[in-house]
Amino acid sequence: MVRETSETAQLPPLTVGPHTRRLGVMAIVATFGGLLFGYDTGVINGAQSSMAAELALDDFAVGVVTSSLVFAAAFGALFGGSLADRIGRRRTIIALAVLFFAGSICVTVAPGFAVLVFGRILLGLAVGGASTVVPVFLAELAPYEIRGSLAGRNEMMIVVGQLAAFVINAIIGNLLSDFGGVWRVMFAVCAIPAVFLFIGMLRMPESPRWLMRRGDSAAALAVLQRIRPLDRAEAEVKQLEQLLGSREPGELGGAQAGASQGQETLRGLRLIASNKWFVRILLVGIGVGVAQQLTGINSIMYYGTSVLEEAGFSHSTALIGNIAPGVIAVIGAFIALYMMDRWDRRKTFITGFTLTTISHVVIGVASLTVPEDAVIRPYLILALVVFFVGSMQTFLNVVTWVYISEIFPLRFRGLGVGIAIFCHWIMNGVLALFFPSLIAATGLTTTFFLFAGVGALALLFMATCVPETRGRTLESMEADITSGAIFQK
């Protein structure tokens, strides 16, 4: 049940009608960006062995290929958010679809290490941009009553994409095990959803809130009338006009539409620095993104096959076993979407970090106490990894992306989300680059105990620093962030 507050009670109720279906279609099309995000980050999991063998890559080179996408995604997130503030959410997603396609083709035909890394960088820029712009686009389209579940669909599509990568890897890897270029087939599949995203977004409207920010209230109203009851659309436009009309002269807005991307980014940074509460909410967003990565979830998503081999499975069995975390991630995402507009964000974060920290401790203990030659060891580790991924997906992954997409004021939303997700991806890249070396140097036990220690610190941060956002309009939160009132609630 969504809580009603004074600022949301003035809006007419959200009713079901043709607008509901149109909003659903827009969400499906936009979340193809999330599907590409998931597939492109997950496909490397099963492609590493074949790729390394054909191109004669050592362990460090494999780490570079894997992490190059992740580090590029950090810059894609940063510049993608800024670009979306300048040219719009819709046009940015269309450009990202082209980048996804180009990167997929480049990796598929790569003759050697250099071209392979270049293709992965293109994919990384696209993945990072999608990780910023798609959640913002969905959050700005959604009515506040269902913003969590609608924006959360992007994370669901990410894990669907990762599961698709694991399943396709397992099928192709076992059927074409004698074909040295099997990894190229795995990567070629990435191009297909990119085409659907490009064609679909050509028919989608722009974010009404971005249009309002640029001073085009007529176009914003036209978009809202497609995805809201008519009286609700008019009320939301009036609420936005009141918010935009209350700004100080010179704040980022429609008058600056002709500014270059660099100038707009600089103005956004100055705006953030001008208000201590803007700085604080930015630090909260960064903290949420970095804490989610420090659970080590993407170490499992990138190197899950290697972890299972380390636990005792053969390579072919590990490829099949690696599907199990992908399946539980999708199940967890559906549960998370159901919970998103029913559980407070803070409660969800605290539950998630409690469960994942316990998971890390139990995995470490099992790795320490169960003999390496015990038949049960690999299956026990797999079961515990599945529990960890399920806890992560149900209570942390979806809520992280939803929370980051909704906490920043409209005047620097794209930039704020971009900075938070930039830091998220940088931490992701550090783990992707050094996880194989960490496992080799310290073993499975110490690695997961380290994750547990960091998880305890993240739990403390969530309990003391993160304000609640569920059941509130984006505009009411912006007012409370500007005044600092949100940190007292």
Side-chain angles (χ1 to χ4, degrees):
M1 181 178 180
V2 177
R3 296 171 303 194
E4 186 180 80
T5 60
S6 59
E7 68 273 358
T8 60
Q10 62 184 294
L11 292 175
L14 183 67
T15 57
V16 177
H19 57 274
T20 307
R21 180 185 60 81
R22 288 192 287 268
L23 180 60
V25 170
M26 292 177 191
I28 290 172
V29 172
T31 54
F32 267 95
L35 182 73
L36 284 157
F37 174 162
Y39 192 94
D40 285 320
T41 54
V43 67
I44 194 70
N45 197 320
Q48 291 167 358
S49 297
S50 172
M51 179 182 68
E54 180 182 345
L55 300 181
L57 306 178
D58 59 21
D59 289 341
F60 181 75
V62 170
V64 171
V65 171
T66 302
S67 62
S68 59
L69 180 147
V70 182
F71 284 117
F75 292 94
L78 184 62
F79 295 115
S82 180
L83 183 64
D85 277 346
R86 184 184 176 210
I87 69 170
R89 314 332 186 185
R90 172 181 170 271
R91 282 186 284 181
T92 302
I93 296 174
I94 291 171
L96 292 173
V98 175
L99 202 55
F100 271 121
F101 184 84
S104 299
I105 299 302
C106 189
V107 171
T108 301
V109 303
F113 175 75
V115 177
L116 178 61
V117 171
F118 177 72
R120 292 281 290 173
I121 289 173
L122 292 181
L123 288 174
L125 292 171
V127 165
S131 70
T132 296
V133 183
V134 174
V136 168
F137 182 68
L138 294 175
E140 291 185 345
L141 285 176
Y144 78 90
E145 295 93 335
I146 59 170
R147 187 177 64 241
S149 57
L150 191 78
R153 293 182 192 182
N154 188 57
E155 173 61 23
M156 185 189 72
M157 289 293 276
I158 291 171
V159 296
V160 167
Q162 289 175 330
L163 175 60
F166 299 159
V167 172
I168 290 171
N169 283 353
I171 293 172
I172 295 175
N174 283 281
L175 290 180
L176 303 178
S177 57
D178 295 332
F179 173 48
V182 63
W183 63 277
R184 298 182 186 273
V185 181
M186 296 174 179
F187 279 108
V189 177
C190 301
I192 299 173
V195 174
F196 284 105
L197 178 62
F198 178 81
I199 294 174
M201 285 304 299
L202 290 176
R203 300 177 59 85
M204 294 299 105
E206 183 52 82
S207 157
R209 286 178 166 85
W210 184 83
L211 290 169
M212 286 293 298
R213 178 175 178 263
R214 293 298 174 176
D216 195 348
S217 57
L221 178 60
V223 174
L224 283 170
Q225 286 174 337
R226 293 175 59 182
I227 57 178
R228 302 281 198 280
L230 295 182
D231 57 345
R232 175 64 176 261
E234 293 171 357
E236 287 194 25
V237 168
K238 289 180 181 178
Q239 190 178 67
L240 278 162
E241 286 175 338
Q242 290 173 357
L243 173 68
L244 295 172
S246 67
R247 293 184 180 178
E248 294 295 327
E251 286 191 2
L252 201 61
Q256 297 161 343
S260 70
Q261 185 175 344
Q263 290 173 326
E264 186 153 344
T265 300
L266 183 58
R267 286 174 178 146
L269 291 173
R270 287 174 177 168
L271 175 60
I272 294 171
S274 70
N275 185 319
K276 66 178 181 179
W277 305 117
F278 291 166
V279 174
R280 182 166 173 177
I281 203 66
L282 179 62
L283 293 176
V284 168
I286 291 171
V288 167
V290 169
Q292 188 253 18
Q293 279 304 301
L294 286 173
T295 61
I297 180 61
N298 280 318
S299 299
I300 299 299
M301 291 303 175
Y302 302 152
Y303 298 107
T305 302
S306 301
V307 169
L308 294 180
E309 289 180 37
E310 173 78 14
F313 284 115
S314 66
H315 177 69
S316 59
T317 306
L319 273 175
I320 297 171
N322 195 53
I323 294 174
V327 171
I328 198 65
V330 173
I331 294 172
F334 277 103
I335 297 172
L337 287 182
Y338 175 80
M339 292 168 42
M340 196 52 53
D341 295 315
R342 293 170 173 83
W343 276 35
D344 286 349
R345 310 289 196 245
R346 280 169 45 81
K347 179 180 179 181
T348 306
F349 278 128
I350 291 170
T351 302
F353 277 102
T354 299
L355 290 176
T356 54
T357 301
I358 291 172
S359 299
H360 290 141
V361 171
V362 175
I363 291 173
V365 169
S367 177
L368 180 66
T369 58
V370 179
E372 292 189 4
D373 58 352
V375 175
I376 195 175
R377 176 183 169 88
Y379 298 96
L380 178 61
I381 298 296
L382 174 60
L384 293 174
V385 167
V386 167
F387 177 78
F388 162 66
V389 173
S391 300
M392 187 77 199
Q393 192 58 52
T394 304
F395 296 103
L396 288 183
N397 279 0
V398 173
V399 72
T400 294
W401 292 105
V402 170
Y403 191 84
I404 291 175
S405 73
E406 68 187 3
I407 60 171
F408 294 107
L410 176 60
R411 59 193 91 176
F412 61 88
R413 183 168 295 142
L415 177 61
V417 173
I419 292 171
I421 297 181
F422 171 82
C423 297
H424 166 100
W425 280 112
I426 288 294
M427 184 55 64
N428 187 333
V430 169
L431 290 174
L433 182 60
F434 294 109
F435 184 77
S437 301
L438 184 62
I439 285 283
T442 66
L444 208 60
T445 303
T446 303
T447 298
F448 279 92
F449 280 151
L450 287 172
F451 282 139
V454 174
L457 295 176
L459 182 58
L460 179 64
F461 169 75
M462 296 297 163
T464 59
C465 300
V466 173
E468 185 55 56
T469 59
R470 185 178 72 92
R472 305 197 62 193
T473 66
L474 296 176
E475 290 67 46
S476 70
M477 282 193 290
E478 176 161 352
D480 278 0
I481 290 167
T482 302
S483 67
I486 196 169
F487 298 106
Q488 277 72 54
K489 292 186 177 181

